[in-house]
Amino acid sequence: MVRQRAKYYVPGTSWIPNYEPSFLLGDVLAGLTVGCILIPQSISYATSLAHLSPLAGLYSAAFPALVYTLLGSSKQLNVAPEAAISLLIGQAINAILIDFPTAGPVQRDAVAVAVSTIITFQVGIMSFILGFFRLGFIDVVLSRALLRGFITAVGVVIMVEQMMPMLGLVELEHVLHPESTWDKFLFVIEHIPNIHQPTAVVAFSALGVLVSVRTFKHGISHLSRYLFWVRYVPEVLLVVIAFTFLSDEFGWSEDGIAVLGNVHVEHGHGLFGFPLRRANTRFLKATTSTSVLIAVVGFLDSIVAAKQTAARLGYSVSPNRELVALGASNIVAAFIPGTLPAYGSITRTRLNADIGAKSQMTSIVCSSVILVATYFLLPLLYFLPKCVLASIICLVVYSILAEAPHDVVFYWKMGAWIDFGLMLLTFFATIIWNVEVGVLVSVTLSLLLVVHKSGKTRMTILGRVPNTDRWDPVNEDPDAAEDLPGVLIVRIKESLDFANTGRLKDRLRRLELYGPGKSHPSESPTREQTRVLVFHLNDVEKVDASAVQIFCELLQEYQSRDVELYMTNVRPQVRAAFELGGVIKLLGEDRLFVNVAAAVAHIEMIEM
């Protein structure tokens, strides 16, 4: 039993001892390919979005994934920094640096490292606690439309942010400090005459090459089955190598093009550090809201990636186990100062599966590749233009924005105007204000929609099918008819709890007056006064204390109006709750029947 539970809670204890040698080729190929993509990508996220050292991105792409291999339930999920999360980190760092106007470069870097570390630690703790208390169902809170609106807006925000390094306007931005995305967009338009032309040429040339190669890959790989390997060519890595070589060969740094420069891998105080030091915890309160947003957004991206791949390959993942694994990964990462929060990626996870990854061995290979590059290859990137890193991020934005038209057309085609409106509202809230407001709007609207829908008790009116003892919903079966004047038979179609019984009285009253069809409260009643009310409770599997209380009040109200009350098909568990809450005593044992036919027969006998 202990060994079985250990395999469930620590999946690494199951797959590592039983690893199949036949998996090795696919796992190694996937790990090498994704690693080659992650090296430049994680450097881009760290430097261009989070305003941290390249090491922060590389370490965040290596160490959390190693922890996830032991605890994660997905076999292909790749855990590393993400664009939206890196953007949130960068915005949090910039907001806090406003309080340090006279700080020098060393102090500003120290503040940035402290902010990133404490956010990563908080994100890990929050994710771990959510998983420990089995709250993995939060992945159903955000609707697809809201998530699409938010992700698309984040793509636009990132694109506007990257226009600064791509156009050589970074120094001018530091002088004028445009705040919102709209301000930065206007800043770019206003200062087009001030762009640094060599930087812009290099940046957009790199972006053009990246987009062209990616488009070519998608096109040619479908022409012949022998060209499938083209899909796995790491165009990002090739562009980084090519433009670094050209920058060194032609002296681009002398023309004013900013380059990556020296990246010091040495750690004066060691690689690891305790994340709850005073230097970090002083930013705890200021970063808690950002940490909550990152934990929610990161988990949603991760669980979508994990579930899509698991469904495709025929196995299942546990949202709760994923939360624990992702939380533990980020907690461990926080012991390396300056690391970014790491979560799953849909595109990298899909690439893992396409190449043939069969287990988390692919993450071990990927992390090994990144660590080798970190300690031995970084000096070779000295002349890498920073504007090329911004172009790499814009390629990610291109992928994000390319998915939006499909959803827009789908909602339009389906006439899903509420979904379409919610997507637009989330999009513009994120663009006009900031990412935090966009997430807040998304989550708030989702919760309101869930409460609105769950707050409506599902019920219908039953009518008798002629010449039978069968009773069907009158709005579903055209033959079913209410043949007893003044008798209302209501079928409650779900269990009752505090959420859906709050409006039970109002919904019953509406059925009494207007029936199951749509109506407006200003209209005159279309039904005669109810004399007898029968509750069909076969679909009610359980009731909570609040529902029992409301049912008592409901019965008392009907009894005060001299309405005869009956119940049928009451399950034992529901009956036990009703007895404890006084419902049976209030109603009377003689008002309980095994089915609707028996109750109606009793009513007809009394009226005769």
Side-chain angles (χ1 to χ4, degrees), residues 15-27:
W15 73 263
I16 293 176
N18 301 305
Y19 186 75
E20 293 284 344
S22 59
F23 293 169
L24 189 59
L25 179 60
D27 286 342

Side-chain angles (χ1 to χ4, degrees), residues 132-198:
F132 184 80
F133 288 104
R134 307 184 68 80
L135 299 176
F137 60 85
I138 63 171
D139 67 313
V140 301
V141 171
L142 277 179
S143 70
R144 175 70 178 268
L146 287 167
L147 194 58
R148 171 55 57 205
F150 171 72
I151 293 298
T152 304
V154 166
V156 173
V157 171
I158 292 172
M159 182 177 65
V160 174
E161 292 268 353
Q162 296 315 298
M163 286 297 104
M164 312 297 179
M166 290 180 71
L167 297 175
L169 296 174
V170 174
E171 292 183 4
L172 189 58
E173 180 195 11
H174 290 163
V175 174
L176 299 179
H177 297 294
E179 295 183 0
S180 68
T181 300
W182 181 248
D183 291 338
K184 291 177 181 179
F185 175 74
L186 295 177
F187 168 84
V188 171
I189 299 298
E190 182 180 350
H191 292 90
I192 286 179
N194 303 111
I195 66 174
H196 187 253
Q197 292 184 3

Side-chain angles (χ1 to χ4, degrees), residues 145 149 419-429:
D419 289 324
F420 187 67
L422 290 174
M423 183 177 69
L424 290 179
L425 181 61
T426 306
F427 176 84
F428 286 112

Side-chain angles (χ1 to χ4, degrees), residues 513-514 519-527:
L513 298 176
Y514 304 105
S519 58
H520 193 274
S522 63
E523 298 175 10
S524 300
T526 57
R527 297 171 55 89

Side-chain angles (χ1 to χ4, degrees), residues 245-257:
F245 171 78
L246 292 173
S247 175
D248 183 19
E249 187 71 18
F250 295 103
W252 287 352
S253 59
E254 297 175 6
D255 295 328
I257 298 176

Side-chain angles (χ1 to χ4, degrees), residues 328-566:
S329 300
N330 284 293
I331 291 172
V332 171
F335 282 83
I336 302 172
T339 48
L340 296 164
Y343 281 93
S345 161
I346 294 175
T347 53
R348 294 193 304 269
T349 302
R350 187 183 299 149
L351 183 60
N352 264 341
D354 288 345
I355 296 174
K358 300 295 184 183
S359 73
Q360 275 298 322
M361 178 62 74
T362 186
S363 291
I364 296 176
V365 174
C366 181
S367 296
S368 301
V369 170
I370 293 169
L371 289 175
V372 168
T374 302
Y375 286 98
F376 299 104
L377 302 180
L378 270 184
L380 300 177
L381 298 179
Y382 180 95
F383 290 101
L384 172 63
K386 289 185 177 180
C387 59
V388 172
L389 295 176
S391 300
I392 293 170
I393 294 175
C394 282
L395 180 68
V396 178
V397 172
Y398 170 78
S399 302
I400 293 173
L401 298 182
E403 298 174 1
H406 174 269
D407 284 351
V408 171
V409 171
F410 177 78
Y411 294 135
W412 189 276
K413 179 180 177 181
M414 293 293 295
W417 307 120
I418 292 179
D419 289 324
F420 187 67
L422 290 174
M423 183 177 69
L424 290 179
L425 181 61
T426 306
F427 176 84
F428 286 112
T430 306
I431 294 295
I432 295 173
W433 283 279
N434 52 44
V435 176
E436 288 87 346
V437 172
V439 174
L440 182 63
V441 169
S442 300
V443 174
T444 302
L445 288 175
S446 290
L447 289 174
L448 288 175
L449 287 172
V450 170
V451 170
H452 176 70
K453 291 179 180 179
S454 64
K456 291 183 177 180
T457 310
R458 294 190 299 124
M459 59 178 69
T460 188
I461 296 175
L462 298 183
R464 189 184 346 229
V465 178
N467 303 317
T468 70
D469 280 334
R470 199 173 84 243
W471 299 78
D472 289 341
V474 296
N475 58 338
E476 297 176 9
D477 188 344
D479 295 329
E482 297 179 82
D483 55 0
L484 293 175
V487 177
L488 177 64
I489 304 172
V490 175
R491 177 184 178 182
I492 298 178
K493 303 171 71 174
E494 61 186 340
S495 296
L496 298 174
D497 53 40
F498 73 95
N500 62 11
T501 51
R503 298 166 60 189
L504 182 59
K505 296 178 184 179
D506 294 336
R507 289 183 58 74
L508 275 172
R509 186 62 178 162
R510 183 175 287 265
L511 283 178
E512 279 187 74
L513 298 176
Y514 304 105
K518 291 185 177 181
S519 58
H520 193 274
S522 63
E523 298 175 10
S524 300
T526 57
R527 297 171 55 89
E528 64 178 283
Q529 185 70 28
T530 299
R531 298 179 293 102
V532 179
L533 178 59
V534 181
F535 289 104
H536 179 286
L537 303 179
N538 187 62
D539 297 321
V540 181
E541 296 182 356
K542 56 184 178 180
V543 293
D544 66 7
S546 297
V548 172
Q549 280 185 314
I550 292 174
F551 230 92
C552 280
E553 296 170 3
L554 191 66
L555 296 183
Q556 291 171 345
E557 182 179 319
Y558 277 112
Q559 287 175 344
S560 68
R561 290 168 45 197
D562 295 326
V563 175
E564 297 292 327
L565 298 168
Y566 297 89

